[in-house]
C-alpha cells in the first residue's frame, strides 16, 4: 500500500517524465548487482552493433521520487573526498555541503536527442545543493530540434548537472543532435555535434567537452580523431562500463582524456569515506587495437606496447543523485567523465589540447609527482590494479586541483 501511494504521488509530480520513459526501448533492460545494490542498465547502455551507446545504469530502481534517495553521492560529498573543498572529517554524505565555486571559459556536453526540461531540472538540482545558477544554453547541432529519446534524457541530466556542479562559473552548453539516414533516425550523437561543441567552447574562452557515450572500436575510427583537435579545448570521454561491455571510442582516441570508474567505500555505521578502489565489472579500460601509442604514453610502453592504453584517469562511478522531474540514482563512467571534466575546468589552466593535458599528467607520473598530491593511485579491486599507471584507473583519481 505504501509503495502504491508513493507511486501515485510520483505520477502527480513527474507526468512528463513518465511520458519520456514509456517508450518500448526504455522498458528493455539488463540487471545485475554492484556492491550489494541492484543496478539496471537501460537499453541505451547495452552495446549493439551499428549504434553508439550511453555508459550509465540506474541504481536500485528506475523510478524518480520526490526526495533524493539516500546513500548516493552529492556534489558536496564528492568534492570533499577529492579535496576540492573543505569539509567535515570523513566527508559523510549528509554533512558534506560545501560545493565547488570555480569554473572558467566554457563547457560543452554532447548528447543525442532533445531534453525538454533541461533548464528547469538543472535549476532544481542547483537549488537543492546550493550550487550557483548556470549560464546555460541548449544548442541544436543541425539547427533543428531533435526528437526526445527516453534513455538519453537521463544521460543528459546526469551530464549537465554534474559538470556544472564541479565548475559552476563556466558557461555551459548542451549540444543536442541526432543521426538521420533516410528514411529514419538513430539514437546517436553526431560528429557534426562534436564539431559544433568545439567551436562553441573555443569562441567562449576555451574549456572542456565531455562525451559520456561510446562505440566498440573499429578499424576506421582513426579517421574521426580529427574531431577532437579544436585549439583551446580539452576533450573527455567515458571509458565504458566493463560489466556490460566496453565502449572504446572516442575514449580510445589519443586526442581524448579517457575517464574510467572507481568506487568509494564508506563506513556502514558512520557513512565516513574509507577508501577508493576499482571494482571488477566497473569502469572499463583496455589497450586499443587501432590507435597507435601516443608520445605521452612512452613512459608506460612496457604496459601498453605499441598501442594506446586507457583510461588515463578515473573518478567515482557509483552512485550519484540526479534530478529529472524527480530524484533518481545512477552510476557509470557516464558520471565519471563530466565530473572529471568539470574538475579540470575549475582548476583554471585552460589547456590548449587533450594531448597537452595528458602530456602534463603523464610527465608528473614520470617524475614521481602524480601520487604526492594531484592524483590518488588506485591499487585495489581487481588483479589488473597495480602501483602506478594501470588499465583500471590510469594515473588515478583526482586529489585537489593540482596537476589538472
Amino acid at each position: 500500500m505504501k509503495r502504491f501511494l508513493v507511486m501515485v504521488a510520483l505520477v502527480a509530480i513527474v507526468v512528463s517524465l513518465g511520458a519520456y520513459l514509456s517508450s518500448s526501448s526504455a522498458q528493455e533492460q539488463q540487471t545485475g548487482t554492484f556492491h550489494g545494490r541492484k543496478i539496471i542498465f537501460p537499453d541505451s547502455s547495452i552495446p549493439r552493433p551499428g549504434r553508439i551507446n550511453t555508459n550509465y545504469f540506474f541504481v536500485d530502481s528506475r523510478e524518480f521520487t520526490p526526495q533524493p534517495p539516500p546513500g548516493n553521492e552529492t556534489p558536496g560529498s564528492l568534492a570533499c573526498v577529492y579535496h576540492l573543498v573543505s569539509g567535515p572529517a570523513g566527508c559523510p554524505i549528509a554533512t558534506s555541503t560545501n560545493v565547488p565555486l570555480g569554473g572558467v571559459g566554457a563547457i560543452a556536453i554532447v548528447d543525442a536527442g532533445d531534453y525538454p526540461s533541461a533548464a528547469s531540472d538543472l535549476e532544481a538540482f542547483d537549488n537543492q545543493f546550493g550550487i550557483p545558477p548556470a549560464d546555460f544554453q541548449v544548442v541544436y547541432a543541425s539547427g533543428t530540434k531533435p526528437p526526445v529519446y527516453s534513455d538519453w534524457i537521463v544521460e543528459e541530466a546526469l551530464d549537465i548537472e554534474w559538470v556544472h556542479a564541479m565548475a559552476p562559473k563556466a558557461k555551459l552548453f548542451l549540444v543536442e543532435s541526432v543521426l538521420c539516414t533516410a528514411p529514419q533516425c538513430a539514437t546517436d550523437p553526431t560528429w557534426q555535434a562534436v564539431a559544433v561543441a568545439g567551436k562553441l567552447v573555443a569562441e567562449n574562452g576555451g574549456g572542456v567537452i565531455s562525451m559520456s557515450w561510446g562505440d566498440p572500436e573499429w578499424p576506421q575510427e582513426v579517421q574521426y580523431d580529427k574531431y577532437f583537435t579544436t585549439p583551446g579545448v580539452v576533450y573527455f570521454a567515458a571509458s565504458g562500463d566493463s560489466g556490460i561491455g566496453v565502449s572504446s571510442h572516442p575514449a580510445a582516441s589519443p586526442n581524448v582524456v579517457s575517464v574510467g570508474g572507481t568506487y568509494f567505500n564508506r563506513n556502514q555505521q558512520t557513512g565516513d569515506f574509507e577508501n577508493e578502489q576499482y571494482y571488477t565489472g566497473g569502469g572499463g579500460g583496455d589497450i586499443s587495437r587501432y590507435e597507435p601509442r601516443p608520445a605521452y604514453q612512452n613512459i608506460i610502453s612496457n604496459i601498453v606496447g605499441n598501442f594506446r592504453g586507457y583510461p588515463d584517469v578515473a573518478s567515482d562511478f557509483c552512485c550519484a543523485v540526479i534530478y529529472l522531474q524527480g530524484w533518481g540514482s545512477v552510476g557509470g563512467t557516464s558520471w565519471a567523465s563530466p565530473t572529471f571534466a568539470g574538475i579540470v575546468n575549475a582548476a583554471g589552466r585552460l589547456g590548449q589540447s587533450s594531448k597537452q593535458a595528458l602530456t602534463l599528467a603523464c610527465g608528473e607520473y614520470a617524475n614521481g609527482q602524480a601520487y604526492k598530491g594531484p592524483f590518488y593511485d588506485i591499487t585495489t579491486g581487481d588483479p589488473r590494479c597495480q602501483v602506478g599507471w594501470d588499465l583500471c584507473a590510469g594515473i588515478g583519481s583526482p586529489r585537489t586541483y593540482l596537476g589538472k
Side-chain angles (χ1 to χ4, degrees):
M1 183 66 175
K2 181 179 179 180
R3 177 178 174 83
F4 175 78
L5 292 175
V6 169
M7 290 183 67
V8 170
L10 176 61
V11 169
I13 295 172
V14 294
V15 173
S16 58
L17 175 63
Y20 292 159
L21 299 182
S22 64
S23 71
S24 60
S25 67
Q27 305 308 314
E28 298 173 23
Q29 54 197 260
Q30 180 171 319
T31 61
T33 59
F34 176 84
H35 220 75
R37 303 183 70 173
K38 181 180 179 181
I39 59 174
I40 305 164
F41 291 94
D43 176 76
S44 63
S45 289
I46 300 174
R48 289 194 172 92
R51 74 165 195 182
I52 287 173
N53 58 270
T54 58
N55 288 297
Y56 77 89
F57 48 82
F58 295 95
V59 182
D60 298 328
S61 171
R62 284 187 63 111
E63 295 179 1
F64 284 72
T65 60
Q67 298 296 324
N72 299 289
E73 301 294 335
T74 67
S77 67
L78 183 135
C80 180
V81 170
Y82 284 157
H83 301 176
L84 308 176
V85 298
S86 61
C91 299
I93 293 173
T95 57
S96 297
T97 56
N98 289 340
V99 295
L101 298 175
V104 292
I107 297 172
I109 297 294
V110 179
D111 276 318
D114 185 39
Y115 176 12
S117 60
S120 60
D121 286 347
L122 180 58
E123 181 179 12
F125 185 85
D126 290 345
N127 290 340
Q128 174 71 25
F129 298 111
I131 299 166
D135 181 359
F136 175 61
Q137 181 179 348
V138 176
V139 176
Y140 307 138
S142 68
T144 302
K145 184 194 320 188
V148 174
Y149 296 122
S150 58
D151 289 342
W152 276 89
I153 61 168
V154 181
E155 175 69 66
E156 291 174 86
L158 171 62
D159 290 345
I160 63 173
E161 288 167 9
W162 276 88
V163 78
H164 175 64
M166 295 298 105
K169 287 186 179 179
K171 183 173 179 59
L172 177 59
F173 296 97
L174 172 60
V175 181
E176 299 179 343
S177 63
V178 60
L179 178 62
C180 291
T181 303
Q184 61 186 3
C185 295
T187 55
D188 286 17
T190 65
W191 299 115
Q192 177 194 22
V194 176
V196 168
K199 186 172 185 291
L200 288 169
V201 171
E203 290 177 346
N204 285 272
V208 301
I209 290 173
S210 179
M211 303 166 288
S212 285
W213 38 267
D215 196 346
E217 287 195 87
W218 77 104
Q220 291 75 37
E221 69 186 48
V222 296
Q223 300 175 17
Y224 298 92
D225 292 341
K226 64 186 178 182
Y227 286 97
F228 317 123
T229 59
T230 303
V233 181
V234 178
Y235 295 80
F236 294 80
S239 68
D241 299 331
S242 58
I244 196 162
V246 176
S247 299
S248 305
H249 192 269
S253 170
N255 301 332
V256 169
V257 180
S258 174
V259 186
T262 60
Y263 181 75
F264 289 174
N265 286 307
R266 289 186 173 274
N267 185 288
Q268 293 185 359
Q269 281 71 47
T270 66
D272 287 355
F273 170 80
E274 294 184 334
N275 57 59
E276 185 175 12
Q277 68 174 59
Y278 182 83
Y279 196 89
T280 300
D286 208 346
I287 298 174
S288 174
R289 291 187 294 166
Y290 307 110
E291 303 279 4
R293 184 186 74 235
Y296 56 78
Q297 288 196 333
N298 288 345
I299 187 67
I300 55 169
S301 61
N302 62 313
I303 303 175
V304 301
N306 294 324
F307 292 91
R308 195 261 204 271
Y310 62 95
D312 300 298
V313 293
S315 181
D316 189 12
F317 94 132
C318 190
C319 306
V321 64
I322 65 168
Y323 186 85
L324 202 173
Q325 303 289 284
W327 294 98
S329 174
V330 298
T333 52
S334 278
W335 176 32
S337 179
T339 297
F340 208 106
I343 292 171
V344 169
N345 178 276
R349 288 201 182 195
L350 285 177
Q352 286 303 299
S353 68
S354 304
K355 283 189 174 181
Q356 182 196 57
L358 288 167
T359 299
L360 170 68
C362 289
E364 291 173 341
Y365 168 77
N367 293 328
Q369 298 300 311
Y371 309 120
K372 296 180 181 179
F375 295 91
Y376 177 74
D377 195 5
I378 307 297
T379 60
T380 60
D382 188 278
R384 298 182 305 169
C385 300
Q386 60 185 13
V387 175
W389 194 97
D390 55 43
L391 293 170
C392 293
I395 294 172
S397 62
R399 289 296 186 275
T400 78
Y401 291 112
L402 297 174
K404 310 301 188 296

